[in-house]
Each structure stands twice: as C-alpha cells, then as structure tokens.
Amino acid sequence: MTLFDVVSRQRRLVLLVVGLVSVAGIWAGVELPSAIYPELNFSRIKIVAQGSSLGARQVVFSVTRPLEEAVSVVPGVTRVQSHSIRGASELSITFSPTTDMAYALQLVRARVNQIQGSLPPDLDIEIERLTPSLFPILSYNLQGGDPATLYDIARYEIKPLLSRVPGVGRVDVQGSDVREIEVMVDPARLSAVGISYADLADAIRRAVTVQAVGRVAQNYRQYLIVTDQEAHSAADVGAVVLGSGLHVRDVATVQVGTEDHVRIVAGDGKPAALINVARQVGGNTVAIADSVAGVMAGLARSLPPGVRLKPVYDQAALVRDAVRSVRDAMLVGAALAVLVLLVFLRHGRITAISATSIPVTLAVTIFVMSVIGQTFNLMTLGAMAIAIGLVIDDAVVITENIARHLLLGGGRVQAIRAAVQELIWPVTTSTITTVVVFLPLGLLQGVVGQFFAALATTLTVAVLVSLALALTLIPLLAEQFVTAHEVGASVTGALARVQRGLEDLGPRYERGLARALGRPRRLGAALLVLAAGGVGLWRLVGTGFLPEIDEGAFVLDYFTPGGTALAETNREVGIAESILAATPEITGTSRRTGAELGFFATAQNSGDIVVRLTPRNRRRRDVFAVMDEVRDETATAVPRLHIEFMQILADVINDLAGAARPVEVKLFGESLDTLEAYARRLAPELERIDGLEDLYNGVSEPSAELLMRVDEAEAGRIGMTPVDVGSAVSAALLGVPAGEIRAGDRPVAVRVRAPDSVRFDPQRLRALPLLGGPGRRVTPLGSLATFAPTESRLSLERENQQQMIVMTADVSGRSLGGVMTEVRRVLAEHPAPPGVRVALAGQYAGQQEAFRALLLVLALAAVSVCAVMVVQFESFVEPLVVLLVAPVSFVGALALLFLTGTPLNVSSFMGLILLVGLIVKNGIILLDFTRLRMREEGVSLEVAIREAGRVRLRPILMTTLCTLFGLLPLALGIGAGSEMQRPLALAVIGGLALSTPITLFAVPTLLVAVRGRSFTLPRPAGR
C-alpha cells in the first residue's frame, strides 16, 4: 500500500485536520503579538551609581574600582567596562552567552550589597539586566506650560493611567524642573543662633514626620493614635519651632521652588515633560500603542488650557508599516508565482490546486509559530515572505508530475499514485536539504544568532508544512478535480504559443546537454573563469553588519566641551534644534540635556535629541539623507557641539549588545597622557577617510574644578576635622534633605541650603560661617581652607580594570568593511608607542565575529546537505559533484550584490546559506530521475541523464522561477522594514539564477566525466 492509498482512504481525516489547523492559524494570526524584532536576550548587566559630588578621578577610586573588583569574580563574566564622570559611575558587565542571566543578576546584586558599606554615603545604585524593555516603544511630549507644572501633570496624572495599560512595562517621566520646598537659610542668622544646616534639617524632619503612637478602644471602635504634625505647605515648614521661641522662618526664607537644575528637557525647542513608555517582555507593541493612544486622547480633554500632548516616537507605526509592506510583498510574490504556474501548467484548475499550498502553508505556519512562542516581527514576517517562493516548490513538482503521468494515459488514480510514489523520496530529501542548512545556525550567538534563529525557525516550519501538504492535500485535490483534459495543451491563443515554446525547450535542452557532455574541458574552463570572477567580486563587494532600515526617526547624541555650563550647552543645542525645526521632513523633536535615552550615567554637557520624521511615503529623502544634511549644517553652525547620529532601534540594539558605534578603536595603557597623545595623532589621519563621520578622538575634555584644601591644624583648633568641614560646606552648597510635605496626594521634598547668592558666588564662599566644636564657635570658611582653580578630566573609561580611551566614529555613504580597511591602514602607518595596546571593537568586531561563525555555518550546512544526499544516492560521487559546482553559483549572488550596491552583511550571508539548500534541491530532482531510469530500464548514465534533463527541465524551471518571482518584491526593497530582507533576497535571486544553468549543464557533465558515459547501475531483482 502506497502513501497515496493511505491518504486517499483517510481523505476526510486529512481534510479535517488541515481545515482545523488552518482555522487555528487564522485565529492565531489575529492574536499573535506584534513587535519590530524577535524577543532578544542579552547577556549584559548594567550598574549605575550616582548621587556623589566627587570628580571623575575620585569616583574611579571611591566607587568604580570597588564595584569592578566586586563583580569581576561573578561566574560567567567576560568583560567589565566602566564609565566614570563627575558624581556618577556606570558599569557594563558582559557575560558568556550561555550564562543564566536571572541567576547572574542575583549574584551581581549580592556582591554589590557586600561592599556597599565601603562606598560613599547617599549613593543611589541601580542594577538592571539589559533588555529591550528598558527602552521605550512610545514617547510623548507634554508641552504648553511651565516645566514644573508639566512634570507634575505627567508624573501624577498621566503616569498612573499609563501604568495600568496591559503590556506596559515601565513609564518614565523626565522634566527640567521638579518641585521642592526651598529652605534658604541666612548663614549669618543661622550661625548667630548656633544651629548648623544639618541641625535645621533634622529639626524640620522631626517636626513634620507623622507617627502612629498607639491604639485605643472606645465605644466599640478601635482608634489609631496618630501625631497631627503633617506639613501641607511652605508656611507649615516655616512655622516649625526650633527652640527659644525661634521658628524656621526666623532664620530662613521658605518657599516653593524647584530642585537644582541638572538637566533640561524640551519638546520642539520649548519646555516640556517627556513621557517614555516601554513594553513588558512579550508585550504586543501595536496593541499597547493603540491602548496608550486611547488613554492619551481621553486625557487631552482634561488637560489645563494650552497644555497638549504630542507623540514624538511611535515604534508601533513602524511595526504596522512593516507588516503592511511584508503583506504586500507576499501578495505580489504569490501572484507572480501563480502566474508562472499558469504558464507552465496550462489550466486554471490544476494551477489553483498547486497555489492552494501557499495560503494553507502560511496559516499552518502561523499556528505553529503561536505554539512555539514566536511573534510577528521583521524576521518572522520576512521568513514568511521568503517562503512564498519556496513552499510552492514541492506542490509544483508533485503537480507537474501528476500532469505528466495523466498525459501518459491510464486511469486517473493510477496516474496520481505513480506520480506521488515516484517523487516521495526525492521531494522529501530535497526539502530536508533546505532544512538542514539552517541547523548549524544554533552556533550563532548574540544578536545575530537570535535575529536569524527566528527567521530560520519560521522558514523551516513553512517548508516542512509545505512538504506534508504536497504529499497529502495536493494529491487529494488532484484526485478530486483534475483529469487528463485539465492538463492538456491549449489549442489557440497567446498561451498556446507560449506553451509550444516551453514544449520546445525540452528537446533543445537535451541537444545542448549532449553537446556539453562531449566538451567537459570547455565547461570546466568556464567554471574556473566564473570562480576567478567570484574571487574578484568578493574583494569588490563592500561588507557591513546588520542591514540598516529607514525607521522614520533618529537620535542625535551630542556633547559640548568638558566643563561647559548647562546654560551654554542649552544655547548651543538650541541652535541644533532650530536647524532640525527648519528641515521639512522633521515633524517633531524631544531633547534631553543631562540625560539620555535608556539607562546611563550622563554628564550635564551631554544628552540627545529624538527626531521624528514624516511617514516614508510623504517625503522625498530617506532618513540617511536627512541625517547627512543636519550633520553638515550643525557642524557649520555650532562647531563646538560634537554630534553623533543613530537611528533609534539601531541605537537600542547596539547599546544592548555593547557595540555602540560602527567604528571603535580602543587604546589601553598605563599612562593616560600617552594614550591621549597617540589618539590626537591618529585623529587627523582618520578624519581623512572617506565615509567616516562624527569622529570622536576619545580624549576627555578638561573640566573646571575648585580645589578646597583644609588646614587640619586650624580646623583642629575649633574641634573640626577636614571631613567635618567638607560636610558643613556640602550642606550649605548642595543642601540637606529635610523630609517632605504632602500637598494633596503629591509628596514634595524639603531641602535646607544656603541662598543662591551665596552658593554661586566664589567671592562669598570664603565668608561662609561654619560652626565648630562643642562650643559652636563661628569661623569663616576662608580661615580654615584655601581654594585653587584647576582642571581635571571630565570622564574616565576602563575595561577589565585597565584604563583606556575609545575613539569612535560612524559610517555614512560607504560600507563598514571599506572604512575599516582604511582604519587598519592608518593604524599600520602610525604604530602605537611602547606600552599602548590597540584593539578594534564596536560593530566591526561584531561583524567579524558573525562572519566567522557564518562561514562555519556555511561549511557545516554543506556537510549536512552532503550527508542527506549520501543517504539518498548511496554514493559520494553525486553529492560531491553537486557541492563542487555550488560555490560557483555564489558568483551570481555576489554579482547582483555588487551591481545593486548592497554590502555583504549578515542578511546576504544568510542568503548564501539558504542558497546551498536550493541549489542542491534542483540537483536532487535531476539526478534522482537519472538513477530511477538507470535502475528501471538498465540504460547507461549518458542516456539516462539526457532523458532526465528533458523530463525534469519543466519542474526545475517552474520551481526556480516561482522562487525568483516570489522573492522579487523583497529584492525591490519597497516599504518599511524591507531593508532587512532585501540583501538576503538579492543573494538568493542572483545565486539561483546562475545555479540553474550550472545545475542543468555542469552537474551532468561533471558526473559523466567522473562516472563515464557507459556507467550503469544493477537493476533490481525481478526486472
């Protein structure tokens, strides 16, 4: 009993199962979460410690080094990088890819807790595992009011509502001003009454603290006894009694103010509060965005007059555009593939049966995706678009063979049975070769591995489903609806002429193959010429990392020279904002100074601007052209402002992966002066490299400091130590927290400090009165300490407890590989001085690591395919012949990449890997029929292979053209997100177009040259 007999007997079960799973797939397609990328796991943990007022060098010794030493011993740690700035330290810890990151996070937190007692007091330490949920999918500007009011509305009215939206992970609110009760002390009056700043803050804190002091039962009710001293306004704080009839208002001015300005947040160049919404892991980006938009629409009606919400970044818009783009590509590709089938199969009914495999395969694939936890994203949707041309292959081969057997005569059932039975083994093995090329992808690690694992998984599911349908559903439909009449040739019309031309191809090809079989040396020479051309193309084609897509938004990172005042930085950035506002493609911006997108320690002279563009179909230029124009104009208008451009998603992925810039040159050494001198020597040479943009030489700008040196002897006479003096000055200048008041349902912090006229006037600083010793003697600061202006480095970088500087740059208008070739040339021409070690990092290092892994994957894919073919042919000759000519087909892929200006990146490399399976697939279809004729009829190899070529030409051309036309919409790169799959599609189209004539002519010729023309196989017993 054959497979067809079993399927035919259980046709109702087959149709029921296919129908149910298809309906389940349609339902899953409605419910499946949508995101821009697959769920990514990054083996990195970040520590941000801030709250200190130390300089960068002191932060290294007091904070950074203890943290580095603590976390370096955690199992699985491969790299510890640190970034120390004034008042903050940021550590990035990279683990091996196999590390259990949940457990690693626990260990890191435990190690930090062990040493926290030795770190400076009041240090705020955050420890987070780096995941995409740390970065927003939505950003809104709240504009149209004073900064403090905008922050209050965003923090206390909008954030609670957004936090309740299903799928929302975190809501971050950033603003320039945060309300605070300012207790501005008159230093002379405070010292006259013998009270220090810390004493005053402690008195306020004790006075406004609410306490539960007991319980009492009365009249069957339980009463809680609570002290009624809660402060609700600045007047309540001013009324706090200090003793001897004094109140706080007698020694200080109490008013509602704001915290010290350490950051500026603006929207479209005006004061704003920024609201960032991140999703939970597994959250549906589109559903979250729709829900948040509904909440925001409802809030807009209740906002104060003049206050408005403006969306600045919406990742869901890109997801929707990408889904729409891939959907259109799938529909166009399917239509073209069906048109090819109609031309070859002659009739609509049998064409419709073959085409049935496309929607059914996609529906079943979506169901399987939902079961294994996949989402709709650029990679899985791209895999489904790529699959359009592949999933129809098996159905085409089966259908064409059924049509051929029906034309040979005999009963319909017998013809279908023979056609299916003849192809079960070759169709199965040819499909398995497509699957096994993806198995070695498990060796890929990091972002690349996770990106293309989703693509490979979806594509594997799709081709396996298509195989099952080709062997079950297609024969059943053919049995029900197809007769010899439906496969006969058309008599008249244009289609008849096309069909006669196709019919003539078989004999013509057989005659051409006969000539090729007699001239193996010429064919071998032609293959060598192609191989040599491929080597040349390999050197000419540029190389990149991940494809760049037009996201419709970008980030402009900036910083001013070290020590630049916040107001001056704001002025310079304002010029850049005006340039952005004048650019017609830009619809809105949100700017942060002293803060950044994500989880970072940020100095006051740096920040970023998130820029939103008009939809792609409403602008003439792509995002890269817009960035280039803004870069040139900003560099001319504000030369002191260093700027770097990056698209948001690319910036997020690079930050998560630890490769912030395309070009990174790390310099390690004991002497920072030597490192900086070498970097300054390299910078002019690197700037001359064509395509290298936004170069930063890594040299930390000097930051102004005022060194206060305490005279220990003088301080000791009044009973103070240098630490006591420093604490007293810090209390006056930075302030002392003094609890909080409750203004309605909002807490407002209270801070005791000196007035701004004292804090920001260096001349009055020396006259600051200090209370010392048990006698509370008043002494001016100038008699205890001297001040000297100096400069120090603004930031310090370290990696694996070694100091370094990092030179960074972007790439524009040229491939990453081409730029890095020039960078290596410059480094070779200017060798590092003794004691300096140079390392290339950034996206280039990631590219090199990925290429090495992909080359290994390619080799293992070839070995896997060879193993499948050895099982089928029971010989090494046929597999080796097919694989010997397969690399020559790569020349077509490289040629098309070169002609279209597409770099050889991870996506196009995946196309080469997929090409291995597709090339072998056609070879299997040809050689399997050859062996079948040799076994059944006892003919020689030459006779059998010529007949096989004539018979199998149509299915080979049909499957090849279906694949090419199915991929054509992706290769054109039309629509959002199409840039991710375009290099893959181009590589497959170029390679497959060249591999088809190679398979049809080179494979038979080489096989005959190796085996001999008269080679025969023993016929089975009984024949």
mmCIF file of all heavy atoms in Angstrom, residues 145-160:
data_model
loop_
_atom_site.group_PDB
_atom_site.id
_atom_site.type_symbol
_atom_site.label_atom_id
_atom_site.label_comp_id
_atom_site.label_asym_id
_atom_site.label_seq_id
_atom_site.Cartn_x
_atom_site.Cartn_y
_atom_site.Cartn_z
ATOM 1 N N GLY A 145 3.281 74.742 29.075
ATOM 2 C CA GLY A 145 3.189 75.263 30.437
ATOM 3 C C GLY A 145 4.563 75.435 31.025
ATOM 4 O O GLY A 145 5.584 75.247 30.352
ATOM 5 N N ASP A 146 4.622 75.814 32.313
ATOM 6 C CA ASP A 146 5.928 75.927 32.945
ATOM 7 C C ASP A 146 6.451 74.531 33.257
ATOM 8 O O ASP A 146 5.670 73.585 33.471
ATOM 9 C CB ASP A 146 5.840 76.775 34.208
ATOM 10 C CG ASP A 146 5.066 76.094 35.312
ATOM 11 O OD1 ASP A 146 3.816 76.240 35.329
ATOM 12 O OD2 ASP A 146 5.688 75.401 36.130
ATOM 13 N N PRO A 147 7.778 74.332 33.275
ATOM 14 C CA PRO A 147 8.345 72.986 33.395
ATOM 15 C C PRO A 147 7.882 72.219 34.626
ATOM 16 O O PRO A 147 7.613 71.022 34.546
ATOM 17 C CB PRO A 147 9.852 73.253 33.437
ATOM 18 C CG PRO A 147 10.033 74.550 32.715
ATOM 19 C CD PRO A 147 8.805 75.358 33.039
ATOM 20 N N ALA A 148 7.773 72.882 35.772
ATOM 21 C CA ALA A 148 7.386 72.177 36.999
ATOM 22 C C ALA A 148 5.955 71.671 36.915
ATOM 23 O O ALA A 148 5.643 70.543 37.321
ATOM 24 C CB ALA A 148 7.564 73.091 38.210
ATOM 25 N N THR A 149 5.059 72.502 36.397
ATOM 26 C CA THR A 149 3.661 72.078 36.250
ATOM 27 C C THR A 149 3.539 70.919 35.272
ATOM 28 O O THR A 149 2.800 69.961 35.504
ATOM 29 C CB THR A 149 2.801 73.261 35.774
ATOM 30 O OG1 THR A 149 2.881 74.315 36.740
ATOM 31 C CG2 THR A 149 1.351 72.835 35.595
ATOM 32 N N LEU A 150 4.271 71.002 34.168
ATOM 33 C CA LEU A 150 4.234 69.920 33.184
ATOM 34 C C LEU A 150 4.728 68.613 33.804
ATOM 35 O O LEU A 150 4.156 67.548 33.559
ATOM 36 C CB LEU A 150 5.090 70.285 31.966
ATOM 37 C CG LEU A 150 4.593 71.472 31.120
ATOM 38 C CD1 LEU A 150 5.605 71.804 30.036
ATOM 39 C CD2 LEU A 150 3.234 71.141 30.503
ATOM 40 N N TYR A 151 5.787 68.697 34.592
ATOM 41 C CA TYR A 151 6.299 67.483 35.238
ATOM 42 C C TYR A 151 5.268 66.905 36.195
ATOM 43 O O TYR A 151 5.055 65.689 36.239
ATOM 44 C CB TYR A 151 7.602 67.780 35.977
ATOM 45 C CG TYR A 151 8.164 66.573 36.694
ATOM 46 C CD1 TYR A 151 8.937 65.639 36.017
ATOM 47 C CD2 TYR A 151 7.880 66.353 38.044
ATOM 48 C CE1 TYR A 151 9.438 64.517 36.668
ATOM 49 C CE2 TYR A 151 8.376 65.233 38.703
ATOM 50 C CZ TYR A 151 9.156 64.334 38.012
ATOM 51 O OH TYR A 151 9.637 63.211 38.661
ATOM 52 N N ASP A 152 4.624 67.763 36.980
ATOM 53 C CA ASP A 152 3.617 67.281 37.934
ATOM 54 C C ASP A 152 2.462 66.586 37.221
ATOM 55 O O ASP A 152 1.990 65.521 37.649
ATOM 56 C CB ASP A 152 3.079 68.451 38.764
ATOM 57 C CG ASP A 152 4.061 68.901 39.837
ATOM 58 O OD1 ASP A 152 5.028 68.156 40.082
ATOM 59 O OD2 ASP A 152 3.877 69.991 40.397
ATOM 60 N N ILE A 153 1.998 67.175 36.122
ATOM 61 C CA ILE A 153 0.890 66.557 35.381
ATOM 62 C C ILE A 153 1.318 65.199 34.833
ATOM 63 O O ILE A 153 0.582 64.207 34.937
ATOM 64 C CB ILE A 153 0.437 67.485 34.236
ATOM 65 C CG1 ILE A 153 -0.169 68.777 34.808
ATOM 66 C CG2 ILE A 153 -0.579 66.784 33.336
ATOM 67 C CD1 ILE A 153 -0.472 69.821 33.747
ATOM 68 N N ALA A 154 2.508 65.159 34.250
ATOM 69 C CA ALA A 154 2.987 63.902 33.663
ATOM 70 C C ALA A 154 3.221 62.846 34.734
ATOM 71 O O ALA A 154 2.873 61.677 34.560
ATOM 72 C CB ALA A 154 4.269 64.155 32.875
ATOM 73 N N ARG A 155 3.814 63.268 35.860
ATOM 74 C CA ARG A 155 4.185 62.300 36.906
ATOM 75 C C ARG A 155 2.983 61.809 37.695
ATOM 76 O O ARG A 155 2.883 60.605 38.002
ATOM 77 C CB ARG A 155 5.201 62.957 37.853
ATOM 78 C CG ARG A 155 5.539 62.169 39.098
ATOM 79 C CD ARG A 155 6.237 60.855 38.756
ATOM 80 N NE ARG A 155 6.536 60.105 39.956
ATOM 81 C CZ ARG A 155 5.676 59.302 40.597
ATOM 82 N NH1 ARG A 155 4.439 59.186 40.124
ATOM 83 N NH2 ARG A 155 6.028 58.644 41.670
ATOM 84 N N TYR A 156 2.048 62.683 38.023
ATOM 85 C CA TYR A 156 0.995 62.314 38.962
ATOM 86 C C TYR A 156 -0.372 62.095 38.313
ATOM 87 O O TYR A 156 -1.266 61.531 38.941
ATOM 88 C CB TYR A 156 0.878 63.372 40.059
ATOM 89 C CG TYR A 156 2.129 63.485 40.885
ATOM 90 C CD1 TYR A 156 2.973 64.589 40.760
ATOM 91 C CD2 TYR A 156 2.490 62.473 41.764
ATOM 92 C CE1 TYR A 156 4.136 64.686 41.505
ATOM 93 C CE2 TYR A 156 3.653 62.559 42.509
ATOM 94 C CZ TYR A 156 4.466 63.671 42.378
ATOM 95 O OH TYR A 156 5.619 63.755 43.100
ATOM 96 N N GLU A 157 -0.556 62.539 37.086
ATOM 97 C CA GLU A 157 -1.845 62.339 36.429
ATOM 98 C C GLU A 157 -1.758 61.355 35.266
ATOM 99 O O GLU A 157 -2.624 60.494 35.116
ATOM 100 C CB GLU A 157 -2.395 63.685 35.931
ATOM 101 C CG GLU A 157 -2.699 64.674 37.038
ATOM 102 C CD GLU A 157 -3.288 65.971 36.513
ATOM 103 O OE1 GLU A 157 -3.843 65.950 35.391
ATOM 104 O OE2 GLU A 157 -3.179 67.003 37.205
ATOM 105 N N ILE A 158 -0.713 61.471 34.453
ATOM 106 C CA ILE A 158 -0.624 60.637 33.255
ATOM 107 C C ILE A 158 0.037 59.296 33.547
ATOM 108 O O ILE A 158 -0.451 58.242 33.125
ATOM 109 C CB ILE A 158 0.134 61.390 32.143
ATOM 110 C CG1 ILE A 158 -0.631 62.662 31.764
ATOM 111 C CG2 ILE A 158 0.321 60.506 30.920
ATOM 112 C CD1 ILE A 158 0.070 63.510 30.735
ATOM 113 N N LYS A 159 1.130 59.299 34.290
ATOM 114 C CA LYS A 159 1.869 58.058 34.531
ATOM 115 C C LYS A 159 1.011 56.977 35.188
ATOM 116 O O LYS A 159 1.048 55.813 34.751
ATOM 117 C CB LYS A 159 3.118 58.342 35.374
ATOM 118 C CG LYS A 159 3.926 57.083 35.676
ATOM 119 C CD LYS A 159 5.186 57.399 36.475
ATOM 120 C CE LYS A 159 5.954 56.118 36.787
ATOM 121 N NZ LYS A 159 7.212 56.400 37.511
ATOM 122 N N PRO A 160 0.227 57.273 36.235
ATOM 123 C CA PRO A 160 -0.592 56.203 36.833
ATOM 124 C C PRO A 160 -1.573 55.563 35.850
ATOM 125 O O PRO A 160 -1.806 54.352 35.914
ATOM 126 C CB PRO A 160 -1.328 56.924 37.969
ATOM 127 C CG PRO A 160 -0.479 58.107 38.294
ATOM 128 C CD PRO A 160 0.096 58.539 36.984
#
